[in-house]
Amino acid sequence: MVNSKGRAEIFVSGRVQGVGYRYFTEDIAAEMSLTGFTKNLSDGRVHVEVEGEVDEIKKFIERLRTGPSAARVLNVQIKWKDYEGIYPDFSIRF
């Protein structure tokens, strides 16, 4: 059987800084038992790296496309990668 776990590197652009986007991301990752991190980038985007069940990651990405109520997501770029199991939990990086 094919491994059902994976990893995605995600870049979210739009009005996604200063609106609680990283906290929103952390909450839904915990809710979905996903691990990884999120952080603001100097160019205004939010970088998210997430690992877990591929089906859950896909649902997670759909939620990222909406974001919290104050956010306005314009673009979500996704790079799929092999699962490595390198994150103990999901955290916000500064």
Side-chain angles (χ1 to χ4, degrees):
M1 183 176 176
V2 176
N3 187 347
S4 63
K5 289 192 175 197
R7 179 162 57 118
E9 183 176 29
I10 306 159
F11 294 92
V12 185
S13 59
R15 190 174 69 216
V16 292
Q17 290 190 12
V19 293
Y21 197 91
R22 289 173 301 159
Y23 299 97
F24 168 83
T25 303
E26 182 182 43
D27 287 347
I28 61 173
E31 185 183 304
M32 301 175 117
S33 300
L34 298 171
T35 61
F37 69 88
T38 183
K39 69 178 181 179
N40 284 344
L41 298 177
S42 60
D43 65 5
R45 295 179 300 164
V46 171
H47 177 203
V48 181
E49 188 135 338
V50 64
E51 286 193 327
E53 296 292 329
V54 171
D55 288 344
E56 290 299 299
I57 293 173
K58 288 177 180 176
K59 292 176 195 169
F60 175 78
I61 291 167
E62 285 310 306
R63 305 238 345 238
L64 292 185
R65 291 184 192 282
T66 303
S69 60
R72 183 162 175 256
V73 176
L74 297 178
N75 191 33
V76 177
Q77 294 177 296
I78 305 148
K79 289 184 196 169
W80 287 97
K81 300 182 172 188
D82 292 333
Y83 178 81
E84 293 183 26
I86 56 177
Y87 303 110
D89 56 17
F90 194 93
S91 62
I92 294 174
R93 293 186 179 174
F94 296 93

